[in-house]
Amino acid sequence: MSVSRLWKTLIYEIFVTFQLIFIGTGAIIVNQKYTGTLGDFGIGICFGLAIYVGIMLFGRISNAHMNPAATLLLRACGKINSKIAAILIISQIIGAFIASFILYTISPMDSTLGSTAPNAGILNSWFIEFGLTTILLIAVCLVSNMKVPLVAFILGSIVFLEAWLAGPLTGASMNPIRSIAPAVVSGNTENLWIYITAPFTASGLVYGLNRTFKLDSIF
């Protein structure tokens, strides 16, 4: 891959992750602190559309992963090389933290900045996050050879449904950096380990499933 393509991958992945965190956690802030009209359904729509739009706009360049657990899975499955995986993860971290810092600047009185919380209890929340991420990452494998519009629709729909249904229980993160950035910026890191270990454990499981059942070659 050329140097210019690497820079494009870096910049596009920063932006696409930024818009996911800014729109998704921003919707939570707006709902909790200002309007109260979005509800769980509206927040789910915001996260799902952010995934859909991100993949549609940038999927052909950066792959628009927006999720370190997905990036590591696709690296393990041989879909991307180590250099691209490192660039994508660094970009995801940068984009997510920029979004959370901007939201903090806009709404400094907000104490959570859309952080995820284990409302279902510590153990239950871990297994819920593990299950949600496993479903999402299995879908990532299944659609890996499909055209971008279909990938965007399928993954955006899954994120919407999971965020809508499980958001009240755990925040429905399914994505380590989605939880890390607002938690660190707001200082709410008490249960952050749940949202780091569960997605990466799911990534390991799905890698094993893919090696056994060749999920990425079904479609």
Side-chain angles (χ1 to χ4, degrees), residues 161-198:
L161 288 171
E162 294 193 346
W164 173 28
L165 298 175
L169 301 177
T170 66
S173 175
M174 304 165 273
N175 182 341
I177 199 59
R178 176 264 176 268
S179 291
I180 291 171
V184 170
V185 174
S186 67
N188 290 283
T189 59
E190 181 179 0
N191 296 301
L192 185 57
W193 65 271
I194 295 171
Y195 301 96
I196 297 174
T197 60

Side-chain angles (χ1 to χ4, degrees), residues 3-183:
V3 174
S4 62
R5 183 64 180 266
L6 290 174
W7 275 108
K8 285 182 179 180
T9 298
L10 177 74
I11 293 168
Y12 290 173
E13 190 71 10
I14 287 173
F15 179 78
V16 77
T17 309
F18 165 83
Q19 62 89 29
L20 170 65
I21 305 304
F22 187 80
I23 292 172
T25 60
I28 295 172
I29 294 171
V30 168
N31 186 65
Q32 291 178 343
K33 299 297 181 181
Y34 298 101
T35 67
T37 58
L38 287 174
D40 299 320
F41 183 85
I43 292 169
I45 285 285
C46 289
F47 274 107
L49 282 177
I51 293 290
Y52 174 80
V53 171
I55 295 174
M56 284 293 292
L57 291 178
F58 301 107
R60 292 179 178 85
I61 302 296
S62 76
N63 296 316
H65 292 178
M66 299 171 270
N67 186 336
T71 298
L72 287 180
L73 171 63
L74 292 172
R75 171 63 194 98
C77 293
K79 298 294 183 180
I80 55 175
N81 62 40
S82 296
K83 180 186 291 186
I84 295 298
I87 288 172
L88 290 173
I89 291 174
I90 290 169
S91 302
Q92 291 155 8
I93 294 169
I94 293 171
F97 272 92
I98 290 173
S100 289
F101 276 119
I102 290 177
L103 288 171
Y104 176 76
T105 302
I106 294 171
S107 187
M109 299 305 293
D110 190 281
S111 60
T112 65
L113 297 178
S115 298
T116 45
N119 297 321
I122 300 298
L123 187 60
N124 287 343
S125 294
W126 192 94
F127 278 105
I128 291 169
E129 283 296 320
F130 172 75
L132 294 173
T133 312
T134 298
I135 293 169
L136 176 62
L137 294 182
I138 287 174
V140 167
C141 281
L142 290 172
V143 305
S144 62
N145 295 318
M146 294 182 182
K147 293 185 177 180
V148 167
L150 192 55
V151 173
F153 176 76
I154 292 172
L155 297 185
S157 298
I158 290 172
V159 169
F160 154 62
L161 288 171
E162 294 193 346
W164 173 28
L165 298 175
L169 301 177
T170 66
S173 175
M174 304 165 273
N175 182 341
I177 199 59
R178 176 264 176 268
S179 291
I180 291 171

